Amino acid sequence: MISSIGILTSWLLFLLLALVFITNNLLKINIYVRLIVFLNVCLFLLLEIGLFFDDFTVSYISNYSASTTPPLYKFASLWGALDGSILLWNLTLSLFMYFYLKNFKINTSNVDIKIYSSILFFFVGYTIFSSSPFAGCIEANEIGCNLSTLLPFQDLVSSQIGRGPNPLLQNHPLMAIHPPFLYIGYVGMSAPFVASVSRLVLKETSSEWVNVAQKLTFIPWLFLTIGISLGAVWSYEVLGWGGYWAWDPVENVSFIPWLLSTAFLHSAKVTKHNNSLLNWNYVLVGLMFLSTLFGTFITRSGVLISVHAFSNGTIGTYLLIGMLIFSLLFLYIGSINRRYFISSEKLKNKFGRSGFFIANNILLFSSAIVVFIGTIYPLFYETIFSRQITIGRNYFDVLVGPILLLLIFLMIFSIKLSIKNINLKKLYEDNIIFINSSLLISIIFLMLFNRSFNLVVTISISFILISLITLNIIKNFNKKGNSSYWAGQIAHLGLGVLAIGIILNFTQSFSQEIEINSFDNFIFSENNYQIYDIVQENLPEKTELKLPISNGKITKFTSLNIFNNSSQQAISSPAIFRNLIKDSYISIKSINNNTFKLIVRENFGISIIWIGLFITSTSFLPKLKLRK
Amino acid sequence: MKSKKFSLILIIILIFLSFYKISNESRFEKWSKILLCPVCQGEVIYDSPSEYASDMKDILQEQIKTGYTDEQIYNFWVTRYGERIVTDNIARNFEIILIPIAIISIFIIIFLRKINAKK
């Protein structure tokens, strides 16, 4: 039943999108777009209903949910695997389309909404022709579904038990919220793309499109920032390996659009001011969107191995075709506007605001290049040499690290960037007290740690950045500047804090393996930890072995979670004793009768990292306050 | 606090501090952050809580105790698992660093020429 309704609704949606594409009546377009949003909501709710009623005749539900799955994770199962996540993707895309139609539509033409509908058309087409979350099950196993059909009204069979979500995905509520944030970020990158390409189709001669695209980029940028941050939190709190970022391909492909959109948010300001960099902004807007398609392709097609990748045979080719079509559109529109791009003004004042933004763009774009190459190089290597190679953290640390440090350094000047060339001497003399005290505090602070070159440089630069921006905010927030300037200042402040956390974590953390029996205690990094006896908890979906650990003040649990119906290994959840500077992070490695092998880590800077990411994520606040 | 000399002194102290390096990373730690756990999804054995990684760590620990050189450790693991076991390729496959640097240089040259181009 649900399967047939879902498939038919998808067809209807597909038809409506085609109608948007052919009609030219704005009133009709308005109605169709609303209907498209409505149908996407319906599809979303329909699959949720199926998940909650355990309708195992739907192949997706029997493969990625189970009757024993707790309600929150049933809800989140919708985006727990590829086919369902496309549904959330389409819903978000239709909402962005509606938002665009309401606020940014071109008055004289419908070409923008047509381009938008063709993007959605493409993704809805995938659920119809390639693989649908509503595909009915025609050959069931005892657990899960083996074979499914994309046609409605077939004789469907139901598996007895659902397979349940991937164990990693049902271990922490953060899993339920981190992907939707990322999706909004990804999908939202379509809006600036459509806005620019469609305005240039009409051979726009002003730089108004940059303005519109910039407004449309901030929301997806913000969601991407929050999504990546939550992903880092999830990785640290749940996965039990003690880190927050692994340069895993899926993390990388979310970082690339972030770097590009951050670059664009800066370079758009240069264009707004003096009509230069037109071509460059067009390149950035295009790559922002194409990189999200590329990211989906890389992670969903099974070409790479990663914690996040869920592979599926057909989507790779499908996405490649999409990437090709939209790239060609982008290039074609670019080429017919060559004359316009050449009219771009020459840059003045290389050490003024524009110059700094250019440096920022060069650095951000270079990082994107590094991350991109690091992600796809193993694929090339294997194709050419028929041997496998792994690109590890070292590559990224060596190349991206210094670039990001340079960016942090440049942010110091963001407190006072005038159009004219910057007066370094004056900037220094005006702030000498704060610069000196930041340096002094850095020295005292550094005495507490194992010092190395990268630690010293990062800490001193970040301290100067933080103190100058804080001072700037306290002194001038109500006096001058526009909302995007203050959004930038808050984002920079957060990134300064983040840099301190990252460098502490990078240079100071260490770990140890400990073998211990119940009721014993051990000393790690000057703390005494007492172990008690293991507690077994049987939940419907999993068995949890919880080991209580006390540090003398509080008792926390580290646990091994063994999920039913899953072939995967047990998942270890850490006990984390938090502190501003360092966490003690204890996870179980293995249990043998009453002997436990524990991995104990001293993780530095994690709380600081969270604070930094939080501050950066609040950079939208000035936009709310100063909107009037 | 307001004097430039004071800034200079502080910077000199900072430079001095940055050369004063105490490394607490053992060879074991270094290698366990380099070797990939072949049965895990993209994790090094240092990070992985799996049994397989654990066994690998035991072997590695033994090798370091016996006094294997870095070259011997490298050869041991690569002959068994292939090149992909080693995640730190920068020294051996130097092109990995050169390719992005070359592309970035080309990008910067084109970029700067374009934005300074005359009408």
Side-chain angles (χ1 to χ4, degrees), chain A residues 336-564:
Chain A
I336 61 170
N337 282 286
R338 239 189 343 246
R339 211 168 269 258
Y340 163 69
F341 286 132
I342 294 171
S343 76
S344 195
E345 290 287 330
K346 202 177 152 180
L347 213 66
K348 298 176 201 99
N349 299 324
K350 294 198 181 89
F351 295 96
R353 210 171 70 151
S354 310
F356 274 89
F357 283 173
I358 299 254
N360 147 301
N361 266 240
I362 289 177
L363 292 173
L364 283 169
F365 198 78
S366 303
S367 327
I369 292 176
V370 170
V371 177
F372 178 76
I373 293 175
T375 311
I376 61 159
Y377 189 73
L379 281 176
F380 274 102
Y381 193 85
E382 201 182 335
T383 322
I384 298 167
F385 301 107
S386 307
R387 280 180 302 171
Q388 288 185 325
I389 196 172
T390 311
I391 293 201
R393 328 187 46 108
N394 206 328
Y395 164 87
F396 296 98
D397 292 340
V398 166
L399 288 172
V400 183
I403 299 182
L404 297 186
L405 183 61
L406 262 175
L407 279 167
I408 298 280
F409 175 69
L410 289 183
M411 284 177 207
I412 294 176
F413 305 99
S414 74
I415 56 164
K416 202 166 190 169
L417 277 184
S418 60
I419 296 142
K420 282 180 254 156
N421 286 344
I422 194 163
N423 188 338
L424 282 179
K425 193 162 171 245
K426 188 167 180 304
L427 187 76
Y428 169 66
E429 281 169 357
D430 284 352
N431 296 296
I432 187 163
I433 299 180
F434 295 95
I435 292 173
N436 280 351
S437 34
S438 309
L439 291 175
L440 188 65
I441 295 169
S442 307
I443 292 173
I444 298 167
F445 186 78
L446 285 164
M447 289 304 186
L448 304 170
F449 299 101
N450 293 321
R451 293 175 295 279
S452 56
F453 179 69
N454 48 12
L455 180 75
V456 172
V457 178
T458 312
I459 292 289
S460 359
I461 290 177
S462 305
F463 273 27
I464 294 176
L465 173 69
I466 292 169
S467 70
L468 294 191
I469 289 191
T470 313
L471 183 75
N472 186 22
I473 293 175
I474 293 171
K475 262 172 48 184
N476 299 323
F477 186 68
N478 284 319
K479 281 187 219 155
K480 61 156 194 182
N482 53 25
S483 60
S484 72
Y485 170 78
W486 290 112
Q489 290 293 289
I490 292 178
H492 290 173
L493 177 66
L495 294 171
V497 176
L498 177 66
I500 294 180
I502 290 178
I503 198 71
L504 285 179
N505 187 267
F506 182 72
T507 55
Q508 311 294 316
S509 304
F510 57 94
S511 76
Q512 198 185 335
E513 281 187 25
I514 285 169
E515 208 172 315
I516 195 166
N517 297 318
S518 302
F519 303 109
D520 260 355
N521 61 333
F522 65 91
I523 292 175
F524 176 70
S525 177
E526 295 162 6
N527 282 315
N528 192 359
Y529 295 94
Q530 171 75 42
I531 303 283
Y532 299 99
D533 201 16
I534 200 121
V535 186
Q536 181 166 348
E537 239 174 67
N538 293 313
L539 298 169
E541 80 280 12
K542 64 176 177 184
T543 308
E544 204 176 347
L545 300 171
K546 295 164 89 175
L547 182 68
I549 299 175
S550 162
N551 67 348
K553 293 177 206 119
I554 30 173
T555 304
K556 296 206 167 178
F557 293 100
T558 170
S559 57
L560 269 189
N561 301 277
I562 302 147
F563 284 84
N564 305 332

